[in-house]
Amino acid sequence: VTPLRGIKEKLKNTNVLYAQGCELADGMPTYKTIPTEVLFAGTENGLQGQYFNNGDLNGEPMFTRTDKNVDMNWSNKAPRDDINDDNFSVRWTGELVPDKTATYQLGFVSTTNTRLYLNDSLIAKTIYHFRDEYGDPRLRKSPTMKLEAGKKYKIVVGAIETYADAQVQLVWARPQPELKKEALDIARKADAIVMCMGLTARMEGEEMDIVIDGFKAGDRTKIDLPKPQQELVKEITALGKPVILVLLNGSALAINW
């Protein structure tokens, strides 16, 4: 349950407004599930999923279906009861048709051995010393790339599961220049403001490919709240409204102003 959902469920008769406000850190955009509206399997929205009862994406699939998007969390199970939960694979294919021309990063959050291709070029893959699979879900992403609105891009995701939990989420990040303005506009309308700031498991952990201000390879290089979050807290507080600051973090955070 997210803080937003919890607040809405608790305060059913209150108008609860929401804005993202800022990115997690400079150089760390927010990755969201690629929506079904920009994915196509022929004339249908979504991607065609081929589900194999083996760990190598070979042979005839056990079944094929159109998935509205790739946002799967089977935990310690398989997509179906007649599939081995530690020896299966899935290939999703189709087209990505962006609705806006912008600079994007494509990627996935996965525990499985995953490969992501765009127009037949490998743009992201899992790399790990144990079968290229993770014991916890991790983000792997492409370099930045310009994608054009309305243009069709062939997209393929291959995922192989051989141990532990199975989770795959196809995500993207694109510029969101109005985040702070949207948050300030909503805050001015509010009687009270709840700000949820902090860190996520995508920013710190073991052997991660992150090198940004305050973070290197999964380690912290300083304990301050990331700069974009600090700046947003200061500007929201300056409005003079009651502010409740909720810190979500697994390690120490310094709030020194």
Side-chain angles (χ1 to χ4, degrees):
V1 178
T2 65
L4 177 61
R5 178 180 167 186
I7 291 170
K8 285 185 173 181
E9 290 181 353
K10 188 69 174 179
L11 304 176
K12 296 184 182 298
N13 298 320
T14 301
N15 183 22
V16 179
L17 306 175
Y18 167 78
Q20 180 181 324
C22 66
E23 301 289 13
L24 290 169
D26 288 330
M28 184 65 180
T30 301
Y31 291 84
K32 299 181 179 180
T33 303
I34 298 180
T36 186
E37 292 79 13
V38 299
L39 298 173
F40 293 88
T43 59
E44 291 185 86
N45 280 116
L47 295 178
Q48 183 188 75
Q50 296 176 301
Y51 290 76
F52 299 85
N53 195 22
N54 60 58
D56 52 21
L57 296 165
N58 285 326
E60 289 294 319
M62 287 279 287
F63 66 95
T64 300
R65 71 186 186 193
T66 299
D67 291 318
K68 292 303 182 183
N69 54 26
V70 180
D71 190 7
M72 310 298 180
N73 186 358
W74 294 294
S75 187
N76 61 351
K77 298 181 179 180
R80 237 170 48 177
D81 290 341
D82 57 347
I83 293 178
N84 186 333
D85 62 9
D86 276 335
N87 187 38
F88 71 87
S89 52
V90 188
R91 181 188 295 116
W92 290 278
T93 58
E95 293 177 330
L96 169 66
V97 185
D99 56 346
K100 295 180 181 179
T101 297
T103 300
Y104 292 78
Q105 281 187 294
L106 306 182
F108 52 80
V109 178
S110 181
T111 60
T112 69
N113 182 339
T114 307
R115 301 288 186 272
L116 171 60
Y117 298 84
L118 192 71
N119 286 345
D120 297 320
S121 294
L122 178 65
I123 60 171
K125 64 179 181 178
T126 51
I127 300 175
Y128 200 54
H129 58 78
F130 188 66
R131 309 181 195 177
D132 286 339
E133 295 182 59
Y134 301 129
D136 56 278
R138 300 204 180 186
L139 170 69
R140 300 292 297 179
K141 58 188 183 296
S142 73
T144 57
M145 59 182 70
K146 183 178 180 180
L147 301 181
E148 298 177 16
K151 184 174 180 178
K152 297 179 180 180
Y153 298 87
K154 179 182 176 182
I155 191 166
V156 178
V157 183
I160 295 171
E161 167 63 17
T162 66
Y163 91 108
D165 289 353
Q167 177 178 336
V168 190
Q169 180 186 22
L170 180 63
V171 298
W172 67 1
R174 56 183 177 181
Q176 302 183 88
E178 300 297 317
L179 288 180
K180 185 185 290 186
K181 179 181 182 301
E182 292 169 358
L184 288 168
D185 287 346
I186 284 179
R188 291 187 182 97
K189 302 174 184 177
D191 298 317
I193 302 161
V194 178
M195 302 191 71
C196 296
M197 303 283 108
L199 310 176
T200 78
R202 299 180 190 177
M203 303 172 76
E204 57 176 341
E206 294 184 6
E207 301 181 33
M208 303 179 75
D209 64 339
I210 295 176
V211 182
I212 58 176
D213 183 35
F215 303 85
K216 183 177 181 181
D219 293 327
R220 304 278 301 282
T221 58
K222 53 187 175 183
I223 65 171
D224 297 325
L225 190 67
K227 184 178 177 182
Q229 297 187 50
Q230 286 195 45
E231 292 176 346
L232 181 63
V233 172
K234 290 178 180 179
E235 292 194 38
I236 293 291
T237 303
L239 296 176
K241 303 285 186 77
V243 175
I244 300 167
L245 176 61
V246 180
L247 294 178
L248 306 173
N249 50 294
S251 59
L253 275 176
I255 309 294
N256 292 324
W257 58 277

